[in-house]
Amino acid sequence: MSVIALTDVVKRYQTGHETVEALKHVDFRAERGEMVTITGPSGSGKSTLLNMIGLLDTPTEGHIRLDGRDVTDFTEDELTEERRSEIGFVFQDFHLLPMLTATENVELPTMWDTSVDRHDRAVDLLHRVGLGDRLDHRPDQLSGGQRQRVAIARALINEPDILLADEPTGNLDQDTGRTILEELTRLKEDENIAIVSVTHDEQMVGYADRVVRLIDGEIQ
Ligand SMILES: Nc1ncnc2c1ncn2[C@@H]1O[C@H](COP(=O)(O)OP(=O)(O)OP(=O)(O)O)[C@@H](O)[C@H]1O
Ligand SMILES: [Mg+2]
């Protein structure tokens, strides 16, 4: 069963009298252990599609299933809970808190819940992304590639089924980007998660198990 499945999804944005159809009857699915990369020209609907997959926005038409459960009509609170437990996010500019150590940044998504202690998993994840000797460093004491590794560890802290990455290599040089892609490939297999990324980076396309090309809101 697909971990995430979008069926016949349409997304329309209304601004004044103008309607933009950003997604036109899109079908999309991703499986565990698979890296799917979404590419396409600027304005083709990539971010809109990633926002639907990440349950950050709702479709105008169509259905979204997470692990076989139809979440299309979930309330905002229910979607927030699904996002928290099932989906990890990685961004181009890392989004780390500057005053926290690497370990604290990784633990951050679990801080609100005092019933779980994720400290050990945070340390374990940091070891696994090669930062076992950087646990107490703050972001400004880390390189760009190391910061992105902290962000990846943070995205995995709640054991999600899906990792969503928006241009994860966008701010990295080619060599550092390659090590991040190798890291993602390994974690995808170890954690048995689906990774869905948006990228302009041709190198990243080379690491994908499957490439989805969007043009003008349609999958080619
Ligand atoms: N909130 C919004 N309100 C109105 N129109 C929007 C909104 N968000 C996106 N759009 C429009 O929807 C279309 C798809 O936008 P989207 O951001 O998904 O493109 P993209 O492929 O991510 O582009 P880029 O590569 O530049 O990031 C564009 O025509 C855009 O102008
Ligand atoms: Mg975009």
Side-chain angles (χ1 to χ4, degrees), residues 103-117:
T103 311
E104 289 166 345
N105 265 289
V106 175
E107 285 178 277
L108 194 62
T110 70
M111 289 296 189
W112 66 276
D113 184 356
T114 50
S115 70
V116 291
D117 184 356

Side-chain angles (χ1 to χ4, degrees), residues 1-5 28-32 65-68:
M1 187 200 304
S2 302
V3 61
I4 181 86
F28 177 92
R29 50 185 61 227
E31 317 297 330
R32 282 189 184 70
R65 281 185 191 77
L66 191 63
D67 266 328

Side-chain angles (χ1 to χ4, degrees), residues 57-73:
D57 201 358
T58 48
T60 313
E61 291 173 24
H63 285 272
I64 302 183
R65 281 185 191 77
L66 191 63
D67 266 328
R69 291 171 298 127
D70 195 324
V71 300
T72 317
D73 297 323

